[in-house]
């Protein structure tokens, strides 16, 4: 395979077999992850095993081999319940680490209550990041899809950017030295939900483009989840909705990150065949826009990170059918 395709797809899948539509028992999902991680031909595409914090204690008893974990926090609907639930989730992470060294928890993801005002976001981010620091974690915050979703995404990106700048200034005043901006950037990102069990859970092409553009403006990392089992767009006859393709979403993210004048992202997201996507040795191109594997690697590491999928076999089989693997 082309070097540019390998960099594009490296550690792109977070395995979420515990979640619908697969909804596997914990022991089976964990075994699927471990089986995939033993397959040298596919291991390089796999990132973390996504596990709700409530199931972390049980997970600690299910594996005797190293298993990288992204802990999914318990969502709440009210701001006054967010911090108490965060404390409860961190306690479960500590207990799981104490019970087993094999479940290596590196990331914590959680949805925020919908419709938080910009001033409220500032109150949430600092204690959230402090909890991450205290537990050696990186984090992602999700904005639930709602009527104010576009505004909420913009506000969250701006709030994370403001926190980062304040942290750098505080450290400069305190020590006379600057914190490295990348270390702060890697600590906190935003999560995009691309689907679900109902048509209303699927954001439009314009909404996904809005998300990517706002993250780019704020220089914030992001990951995606739900509805992205296939590389290209596909029609769901049961839900009567088009699913987003993970190649479309990450292609849009990479070009938005690497191009000075990037293409219209909705056009990439709506592209059903991706016939204009080309991997050629160390370079990738879509229509007239292109980037090399170094630019792709930076974009994947610092911007468009990974996506959660309840299947690992389906994305791999589709990529093989496309001739990319």
């Amino acid at each position: 395979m082309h070097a540019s395709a390998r960099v594009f797809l490296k550690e792109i899948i977070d395995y979420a077999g515990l979640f619908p539509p697969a909804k596997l028992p914990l022991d089976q999902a964990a075994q699927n992850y471990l089986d995939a991680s033993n397959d040298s031909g596919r291991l390089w595409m796999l990132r973390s095993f996504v596990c709700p914090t409530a199931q972390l204690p049980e997970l600690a008893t299910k594996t005797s081999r190293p298993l990288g974990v992204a802990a999914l926090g318990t969502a709440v609907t009210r701001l006054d319940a967010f911090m108490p639930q965060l404390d409860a989730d961190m306690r479960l992470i500590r207990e799981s680490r104490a019970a087993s060294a094999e479940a290596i928890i590196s990331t914590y993801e959680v949805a925020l209550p919908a419709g938080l005002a910009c001033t409220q976001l500032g109150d949430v981010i600092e204690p959230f990041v402090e909890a991450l620091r205290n537990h050696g974690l990186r984090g992602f915050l999700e904005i639930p899809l709602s009527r104010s979703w576009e505004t909420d995404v913009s506000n969250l990106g701006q709030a994370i950017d403001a926190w980062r700048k304040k942290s750098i200034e505080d450290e400069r005043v305190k020590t006379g030295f600057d914190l490295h901006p990348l270390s702060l950037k890697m600590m906190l990102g935003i999560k995009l939900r691309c689907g679900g069990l109902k048509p209303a859970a699927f954001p439009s092409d314009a909404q996904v483009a809005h998300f990517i553009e706002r993250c780019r403006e704020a220089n914030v990392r992001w990951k995606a989840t739900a509805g992205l089992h296939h590389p290209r767009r596909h029609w769901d006859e049961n839900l009567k909705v088009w699913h987003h393709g993970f190649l479309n979403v990450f292609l849009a993210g990479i070009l938005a990150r690497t191009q000075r004048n990037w293409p219209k992202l909705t056009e990439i997201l709506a592209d059903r065949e991706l016939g204009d996507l080309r991997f050629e040795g160390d370079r990738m191109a879509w229509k007239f826009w292109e980037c090399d594997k170094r630019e792709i690697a930076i974009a994947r590491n610092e911007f468009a990170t990974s996506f959660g999928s309840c299947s690992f076999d389906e994305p791999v089989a589709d990529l093989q059918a496309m001739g990319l693997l």
Side-chain angles (χ1 to χ4, degrees):
M1 67 184 300
H2 293 291
S4 54
R6 189 176 181 94
V7 173
F8 186 111
L9 297 168
K10 183 181 179 182
E11 296 182 358
I12 199 170
I13 300 174
D14 289 314
Y15 179 58
L18 294 172
F19 299 87
K23 207 170 184 180
L24 299 175
L26 180 60
D27 53 354
Q28 184 178 345
Q31 189 59 53
N32 286 353
Y33 178 90
L34 292 171
D35 289 345
S37 68
N38 278 338
D39 183 345
S40 59
R42 302 187 299 167
L43 168 63
W44 59 276
M45 292 179 58
L46 189 64
R47 191 178 290 247
S48 299
F49 179 80
V50 184
C51 182
T53 51
Q55 291 183 267
L56 288 175
E58 183 185 359
L59 179 64
T61 70
K62 297 291 185 181
T63 179
S64 58
R65 291 153 49 197
L67 184 149
V69 179
L72 183 65
T74 305
V76 296
T77 57
R78 303 188 326 273
L79 180 58
D80 60 357
F82 183 79
M83 294 311 301
Q85 185 59 57
L86 176 64
D87 291 341
D89 285 341
M90 291 299 126
R91 183 177 68 252
L92 287 169
I93 289 172
R94 292 193 301 272
E95 291 172 356
S96 300
R97 284 172 167 173
S100 171
E102 302 299 339
I104 304 166
I105 306 167
S106 61
T107 307
Y108 175 75
E109 309 167 8
V110 69
L112 288 166
L116 290 184
C118 193
T119 53
Q120 293 174 307
L121 286 170
D123 295 335
V124 167
I125 287 175
E126 289 206 20
F128 182 77
V129 171
E130 188 64 23
L132 296 179
R133 280 201 183 106
N134 290 340
H135 294 82
L137 297 166
R138 293 177 176 178
F140 288 90
L141 291 170
E142 178 185 342
I143 295 289
L145 201 58
S146 68
R147 291 182 179 179
S148 63
W149 184 82
E150 287 90 345
T151 300
D152 294 342
V153 167
S154 299
N155 287 342
L156 180 56
Q158 291 168 8
I160 292 175
D161 186 41
W163 158 75
R164 204 165 47 221
K165 291 175 180 175
K166 180 179 181 296
S167 297
I168 292 173
E169 181 58 30
D170 288 349
E171 186 69 14
R172 183 183 297 123
V173 171
K174 181 180 178 181
T175 67
F177 296 97
D178 284 343
L179 287 169
H180 196 294
L182 183 58
S183 66
L184 293 173
K185 182 178 180 180
M186 300 294 279
M187 181 168 286
L188 182 58
I190 308 179
K191 185 175 176 180
L192 169 66
R193 186 164 296 274
C194 289
L197 300 179
K198 297 181 180 179
F202 290 76
S204 67
D205 293 342
Q207 287 175 314
V208 175
H210 172 88
F211 177 92
I212 293 172
E213 289 170 346
R214 299 295 81 76
C215 287
R216 183 186 183 278
E217 286 178 356
N219 199 21
V220 173
R221 296 173 86 224
W222 57 271
K223 68 166 294 184
T225 192
L228 294 173
H229 298 169
H230 299 285
R232 294 180 288 203
R233 294 181 67 96
H234 73 281
W235 177 251
D236 188 322
E237 183 61 29
N238 291 326
L239 294 179
K240 307 297 182 185
V241 67
W242 282 96
H243 284 242
H244 295 283
F246 68 79
L247 283 182
N248 300 72
V249 173
F250 282 80
L251 173 62
I254 289 169
L255 292 184
R257 175 65 171 75
T258 61
Q259 307 299 300
R260 188 177 299 274
N261 296 301
W262 66 88
K264 192 173 183 179
L265 299 187
T266 51
E267 186 179 353
I268 300 175
L269 296 166
D271 187 348
R272 296 179 189 173
E273 298 301 323
L274 287 177
D276 292 311
L277 174 61
R278 305 182 304 281
F279 292 99
E280 300 168 344
D282 288 347
R283 304 193 70 78
M284 176 192 78
W286 184 81
K287 293 190 175 180
F288 304 108
W289 292 270
E290 64 175 36
C291 51
D292 60 33
K293 67 176 186 179
R294 177 181 175 278
E295 293 172 311
I296 298 169
I298 292 172
R300 284 289 325 284
N301 185 50
E302 298 181 13
F303 189 57
T305 62
S306 63
F307 71 94
S309 171
C310 71
S311 171
F312 185 63
D313 293 333
E314 285 183 20
V316 169
D318 284 356
L319 290 168
Q320 288 172 333
M322 291 177 66
L324 293 181
L325 298 182

